[in-house]
Amino acid sequence: MIILNAIKIIFLLGFLVFIHEGGHFLVAKLCKVKVNEFAIGFGKILWQKQGKETKYSLRMIPLGGFCNMEGEEEESDAPGSFSKASIPKRVAIVAAGAIVNIIFALIVYFILATSYNFQVTNNWSSALTFAGEKTGTFITSTFEGLKQLFTGKAGLDQMMGPVGISEVVAKTNGMFEFINMIAIVSLSLGVTNLLPIPALDGGKILLLIIEAIRKKPLSQKIEINIQLLGFSFIIILALFVTWNDIARII
């Protein structure tokens, strides 16, 4: 049972982060931005192949992956540099990961509706309506939760992190519950990443919007400091939420 639960957790979290990075990868390719490396997993390299332009890697830790683009972290004048792409293209590339997660959740809900006849009649129209309503309800409830958080009507102790999510995934009973959880976590990953917080995709999009308004980018020093501030906030929040998750389990 422990091994089965571990497989379920690794598959769910790893796969959803993988398709998130895959979204960045595909749109970068469509926008002619060079991807130096696309990796499945993290850590030690188990397998690697150099493509025409991109290095493809399989790494030891099977949780997600990454998409390393030319000029993403620093200015680069090389052909296909992310930093030299137009602002609309950069916004599309940055937003692609979260959008893929949201679209994937829609597809999962559609599959649930057609395969399990879940609260809908067995036809495509009602299944699409069901998928849209489930997705819309989740997004609305997420923003309502954030509103309550910032107005003090809800506390940080009500948030759930990877540990809490893993516990819920482990307790899923049967294929239906597991697939439904995949949709929920995918939506959560997509919506959360679009929040305008530095270090998240939404924060990067906000900086690009500021660049478009100013008609020039922020200085590299200011942008790095903003990203570090956002990253520090996320780390502190993650530690706090993880502590609460563990406390609930214990």
Side-chain angles (χ1 to χ4, degrees):
M1 183 61 71
I2 294 176
I3 295 175
L4 177 61
N5 288 338
I7 292 173
K8 287 163 65 176
I9 293 164
I10 290 171
F11 173 79
L12 186 145
L13 296 178
F15 176 73
L16 293 181
V17 176
F18 166 67
I19 65 169
H20 178 95
E21 296 300 330
H24 294 313
F25 173 80
L26 290 174
V27 177
K29 289 289 189 180
L30 288 172
C31 293
K32 308 299 182 185
V33 169
K34 182 182 178 183
V35 179
N36 292 322
E37 182 178 359
F38 180 75
I40 300 175
F42 295 99
K44 184 180 178 180
I45 296 173
L46 301 177
W47 173 87
Q48 197 169 71
K49 179 178 176 59
Q50 179 64 56
K52 183 179 179 181
E53 178 181 83
T54 304
K55 186 183 297 180
Y56 299 92
S57 303
L58 180 64
R59 294 174 178 256
M60 182 175 287
I61 304 172
L63 290 174
F66 60 88
C67 178
N68 180 8
M69 291 176 280
E70 177 70 30
E72 182 183 12
E73 302 299 332
E74 68 287 315
E75 288 289 325
S76 172
D77 293 321
S81 170
F82 175 84
S83 58
K84 297 302 179 184
S86 68
I87 290 178
K89 285 184 177 180
R90 281 183 278 164
V91 169
I93 293 168
V94 173
I99 291 172
V100 165
N101 283 124
I102 294 170
I103 292 173
F104 178 73
L106 275 166
I107 294 171
V108 171
Y109 280 133
F110 177 81
I111 292 171
L112 285 177
T114 54
S115 301
Y116 290 87
N117 197 24
F118 186 50
Q119 297 179 5
V120 298
T121 56
N122 194 20
N123 64 74
W124 282 35
S125 177
S126 58
L128 283 171
T129 300
F130 171 77
E133 287 177 349
K134 289 286 285 185
T135 302
T137 299
F138 182 90
I139 293 173
T140 301
S141 64
T142 298
F143 283 105
E144 180 61 31
L146 288 171
K147 178 183 175 182
Q148 291 182 2
L149 190 65
F150 284 106
T151 56
K153 294 180 180 179
L156 287 173
D157 58 341
Q158 294 178 260
M159 297 181 69
M160 183 180 292
V163 174
I165 292 172
S166 297
E167 183 194 15
V168 174
V169 171
K171 289 181 178 179
T172 55
N173 185 21
M175 186 59 70
F176 172 80
E177 285 189 12
F178 181 66
I179 294 175
N180 187 54
M181 184 55 61
I182 289 176
I184 292 171
V185 178
S186 188
L187 272 176
S188 180
L189 182 61
V191 174
T192 301
N193 261 281
L194 288 177
L195 295 176
I197 299 173
L200 295 179
D201 291 338
K204 295 176 183 178
I205 292 171
L206 179 60
L207 291 177
L208 288 170
I209 292 172
I210 293 172
E211 179 180 337
I213 294 171
R214 296 177 74 243
K215 300 189 183 302
K216 62 178 181 179
L218 296 171
S219 71
Q220 193 170 14
K221 182 179 179 180
I222 291 175
E223 188 167 334
I224 289 173
N225 287 334
I226 291 174
Q227 296 284 12
L228 285 174
L229 183 64
F231 186 71
S232 299
F233 169 76
I234 291 171
I235 291 296
I236 293 170
L237 181 61
L239 289 172
F240 179 82
V241 172
T242 300
W243 174 263
N244 279 332
D245 285 343
I246 294 171
R248 275 196 295 265
I249 294 171
I250 296 175

